[in-house]
């Protein structure tokens, strides 16, 4: 392989590494956005459930039992 071809190959490898880094950044941002959306949704749903089931000062285990009782799945 000539020196010119080796240099071209090296530039291509550097471009590939740059593109892979960009891809990783985009995927990380998307994963973070999805996680934040889920967290927000869970908080909103929890607030609604707390309001209508009147369970402000309840432990998670007791809350689960309350839900099972209210929903009739237990």
């Amino acid at each position: 392989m000539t020196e010119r071809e080796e240099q071209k190959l090296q530039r291509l490898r550097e471009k590939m590494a740059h593109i892979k880094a960009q891809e990783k950044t985009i995927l990380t941002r998307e994963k973070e956005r999805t996680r934040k959306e889920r967290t927000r949704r869970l908080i909103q749903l929890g607030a609604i459930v707390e309001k209508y089931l009147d369970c402000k000062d309840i432990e998670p285990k007791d809350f689960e039992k309350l839900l099972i009782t209210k929903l009739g799945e237990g």
Side-chain angles (χ1 to χ4, degrees), residues 27-38:
L27 292 174
T28 300
R29 262 192 240 131
E30 177 62 21
K31 187 182 283 187
E32 183 178 337
R33 184 189 62 77
T34 301
R35 181 187 54 79
K36 285 182 178 182
E37 284 177 356
R38 179 179 183 271

Side-chain angles (χ1 to χ4, degrees), residues 14-57:
E14 288 170 3
K15 285 182 183 180
M16 285 176 54
H18 183 70
I19 290 170
K20 285 183 180 184
Q22 285 179 330
E23 177 186 32
K24 185 177 179 180
T25 299
I26 290 168
L27 292 174
T28 300
R29 262 192 240 131
E30 177 62 21
K31 187 182 283 187
E32 183 178 337
R33 184 189 62 77
T34 301
R35 181 187 54 79
K36 285 182 178 182
E37 284 177 356
R38 179 179 183 271
T39 299
R40 184 171 193 272
R41 186 177 63 252
L42 289 172
I43 290 168
Q44 289 173 328
L45 291 173
I48 291 168
V49 168
E50 183 181 80
K51 176 182 176 182
Y52 288 102
L53 293 182
D54 191 32
C55 55
K56 291 180 179 145
D57 299 319

Side-chain angles (χ1 to χ4, degrees), residues 46-71:
I48 291 168
V49 168
E50 183 181 80
K51 176 182 176 182
Y52 288 102
L53 293 182
D54 191 32
C55 55
K56 291 180 179 145
D57 299 319
I58 191 170
E59 293 296 317
K61 281 186 177 184
D62 296 330
F63 178 69
E64 183 178 15
K65 289 176 187 175
L66 175 66
L67 279 178
I68 290 170
T69 302
K70 295 266 184 179
L71 296 175

